[in-house]
Amino acid sequence: PAATLVSVTTSANPALVGAAVRFIAAVQVAAPGAGTPIGSVQFVLDGADWGDPVALVDGQAESPVVSDLAAGDHTISARYLGSDAYQPGSALGIIQKIVAGSLGEVTPEEGATFQYAGQHNGLPVTTTIEVPAGAVDEAVKLVFTPLENSPVLPEDGQELVLPFTLRAYVDGELQSNYSFAQAITLTLGYNPDGWIESSFHVAGWNGSQWVPVGLTPLEQDLAAHTLTISLDQLGHELFALTGEPQFRYWLPLIGR
């Protein structure tokens, strides 16, 4: 029997929690063998056989769709079970990243516009991310995640209106300091109830303080309740729209 080479790929990396993911195994014949392998492939998820063996079609096998992987890293591999003419073989495992997020889109080199429709304090809001052509020179996946609360307090005199994270991944790897060749724009929708909208601004957390590095305010639409900023780098992942509340309450304490 001829020797074989087995590889496995994923339909999306990273993938969001709850998103459907499929894995594809390819079986090729090693020289000097020839032909197209037949038989089946057993997919392996985190070290354990996953599902039943899948028949090869034109040298490839597709796994069942999975959408219940927990957040974190998962190892995916595949074993070709062999046939009379071809030897069994195993693929090197790949890491499938599952991340918590609300928008996970691949940005091609020609640019794209993405929208996230969510809610903020009970009001439907829309966040738009515009990536111009030439802003990236590789396939970049952006993951935008609005947060209920920020893990760090806002600047003095400000309160949290809308904290969020924005992360960039290339080939499934998080880019801790990603720079865009051209600035992208974020239009953040928010619920204005209880806030002085003219006080709003966005800053990024650099690990020790809130800074405006890489952020440029562009426009605030008080009728649509949106704030647009430009962003040329993701040196930090955590951002926050902050502002001053319309009302503050003080509770008197009486000592006796």
Side-chain angles (χ1 to χ4, degrees):
T4 56
L5 303 172
V6 186
S7 62
V8 63
T9 56
T10 173
S11 61
N13 203 7
L16 302 184
V17 171
V21 183
R22 185 187 298 274
F23 307 105
I24 300 97
V27 182
Q28 297 176 308
V29 183
T36 301
I38 60 173
S40 58
V41 164
Q42 174 65 61
F43 287 93
V44 180
L45 173 60
D46 292 332
D49 288 354
W50 176 50
D52 296 326
V54 180
L56 285 171
V57 177
D58 295 329
Q60 290 192 340
E62 292 189 359
S63 76
V65 170
V66 59
S67 59
D68 59 355
L69 293 178
D73 290 353
H74 299 270
T75 302
I76 309 299
S77 185
R79 294 195 317 274
Y80 170 53
L81 303 182
S83 67
D84 292 342
Y86 301 102
Q87 297 179 19
S90 296
L92 293 175
I94 63 170
I95 300 299
Q96 172 69 59
K97 294 181 179 295
I98 303 295
V99 298
S102 301
L103 171 70
E105 299 285 353
V106 173
T107 304
E109 296 179 24
E110 59 268 26
T113 298
F114 309 115
Q115 284 194 328
Y116 162 71
Q119 284 198 341
H120 180 222
N121 294 336
L123 180 73
V125 297
T126 300
T127 294
T128 301
I129 302 176
E130 297 179 70
V131 184
V136 299
D137 58 4
E138 54 197 337
V140 176
K141 175 167 282 192
L142 296 177
V143 177
F144 166 82
T145 309
L147 304 176
E148 290 294 329
N149 291 291
S150 168
V152 292
L153 296 175
E155 301 170 278
D156 290 342
Q158 297 280 304
E159 293 190 13
L160 293 172
V161 179
L162 179 65
F164 63 94
T165 60
L166 184 62
R167 299 182 174 98
Y169 293 83
V170 175
D171 295 330
E173 294 296 326
L174 176 63
Q175 308 297 299
S176 57
N177 288 284
Y178 190 84
S179 296
F180 298 97
Q182 299 182 46
I184 68 173
T185 60
L186 274 72
T187 300
L188 302 169
Y190 56 82
N191 184 342
D193 292 345
W195 297 100
I196 301 174
E197 291 184 68
S198 59
S199 68
F200 284 1
H201 75 282
V202 180
W205 180 256
N206 69 359
S208 60
Q209 60 182 339
W210 293 100
V211 293
V213 176
L215 293 167
T216 304
L218 295 180
E219 179 185 9
Q220 186 173 16
D221 188 333
L222 298 181
H225 308 303
T226 60
L227 180 69
T228 302
I229 62 172
S230 70
L231 182 65
D232 58 24
Q233 63 180 351
L234 295 179
H236 29 255
E237 303 171 10
L238 174 64
F239 300 88
L241 171 65
T242 62
E244 299 178 15
Q246 287 182 337
F247 309 102
R248 294 181 184 271
Y249 299 92
W250 286 268
L251 296 177
L253 297 178
I254 301 174
R256 292 184 177 177

